[in-house]
Amino acid sequence: PMGSERPEMRKRQMSATQESPGAAQAQHSTGNRGSNACCFCWCCCCSCSCLTVRNQDEERARRTSHELQAEGIPNCEESPAPTLEEVNAWAQSFDKLMLTPAGRNAFREFLRTEFSEENMLFWMACEELKQESNKNVIEEKARLIYEDYISILSPKEVSLDSRVREVINRNMLEPSQHTFDDAQLQIYTLMHRDSYPRFMNSAIYKNLLHSLSEKSIEA
């Protein structure tokens, strides 16, 4: 009957009212935490480890892409400013461009705009390896070159075919100054055929040539 249900409904309402202050307080407390609420625990203190991680992530996100890229860019080779004669010679052949530090630096600057600077860095690392004679140093440098430019896990991995990779893997059993010779030649050829023609038509090369030509006329 309807009359018998009303007292029961009143009891349930009274019971809910008595419990509501605690629940409301808990809800209010949760709301106060807002975006600072810890994702792993109920505390809202600033010393919570997950809040620290979150703050670090936000700080990294605020850093500009230029700052992050600059951290991973090795310094260019030391070299005197190129002469007009040298810059004109770069147009004669890729070999002449790669012969001088000034030429390599200018080409590296261009490769950086195409996100392929690792090709030049790998080639230079191989050249440096060839100058070593100490066995321990050779093994260490070969390992670093492999990790930086050959490993598929590296963000600076260079593009090599399967045959050359097999040769490298065999050579790494007993590293020497010539462990990466085949790979170095392949990357040199790639830069020559693919990047060098675009460099010669790039603003980087044309602006440098124009600047040196004007200085030559003024002199």
Side-chain angles (χ1 to χ4, degrees):
M2 292 293 292
S4 63
E5 291 179 357
R6 287 174 184 161
E8 186 65 22
M9 291 176 64
R10 289 195 193 99
K11 291 179 182 179
R12 287 199 294 268
Q13 289 173 353
M14 291 176 64
S15 175
T17 302
Q18 292 172 353
E19 294 176 357
S20 61
Q25 184 179 358
Q27 183 176 3
H28 179 70
S29 175
T30 302
N32 286 340
R33 287 200 304 270
S35 61
N36 289 328
C38 174
C39 52
F40 298 118
C41 58
W42 288 105
C43 69
C44 59
C45 59
C46 60
S47 62
C48 180
S49 60
C50 66
L51 289 180
T52 301
V53 171
R54 181 184 300 173
N55 291 336
Q56 291 173 346
D57 290 342
E58 291 175 352
E59 179 63 26
R60 280 195 293 268
R62 284 193 291 266
R63 298 169 67 189
T64 65
S65 59
H66 176 75
E67 288 175 331
L68 295 175
Q69 289 177 359
E71 291 179 357
I73 298 176
N75 293 329
C76 291
E77 297 177 85
E78 293 185 4
S79 69
T83 64
L84 178 60
E85 183 181 1
E86 287 177 327
V87 175
N88 278 321
W90 298 349
Q92 297 174 11
S93 72
F94 184 59
D95 291 340
K96 290 185 177 181
L97 169 68
M98 294 287 284
L99 191 61
T100 63
R104 292 192 293 269
N105 284 338
F107 190 49
R108 271 184 65 183
E109 183 181 352
F110 169 74
L111 292 177
R112 195 174 300 148
T113 66
E114 293 198 336
F115 305 100
S116 58
E117 185 185 15
E118 64 274 4
N119 289 332
M120 175 65 82
L121 296 177
F122 171 68
W123 184 87
M124 292 171 60
C126 292
E127 286 295 292
E128 185 179 327
L129 178 65
K130 291 177 181 178
Q131 307 305 315
E132 296 294 342
S133 58
N134 184 285
K135 185 176 183 297
N136 292 331
V137 175
I138 289 173
E139 291 179 352
E140 177 63 14
K141 286 193 173 184
R143 181 185 64 81
L144 291 175
I145 291 173
Y146 188 94
E147 291 177 355
D148 285 344
Y149 304 107
I150 309 301
S151 171
I152 60 174
L153 300 177
S154 173
K156 297 186 293 184
E157 177 195 5
V158 295
S159 179
L160 299 170
D161 62 36
S162 57
R163 180 194 66 81
V164 171
R165 287 185 174 275
E166 289 177 3
V167 171
I168 292 174
N169 289 333
R170 287 197 302 268
N171 291 343
M172 285 299 292
L173 296 176
E174 293 185 15
S176 72
Q177 299 99 317
H178 305 288
T179 292
F180 304 100
D181 280 4
D182 286 355
Q184 186 186 20
L185 177 59
Q186 189 168 96
I187 293 302
Y188 188 90
T189 303
L190 175 66
M191 291 190 294
H192 182 190
R193 294 177 178 175
D194 185 59
S195 302
Y196 173 64
R198 290 198 298 274
F199 169 71
M200 297 310 304
N201 291 314
S202 70
I204 291 176
Y205 177 75
K206 290 180 178 179
N207 290 342
L208 179 60
L209 184 62
H210 179 70
S211 175
L212 292 174
S213 296
E214 287 189 337
K215 289 181 181 179
S216 176
I217 294 174
E218 292 174 357

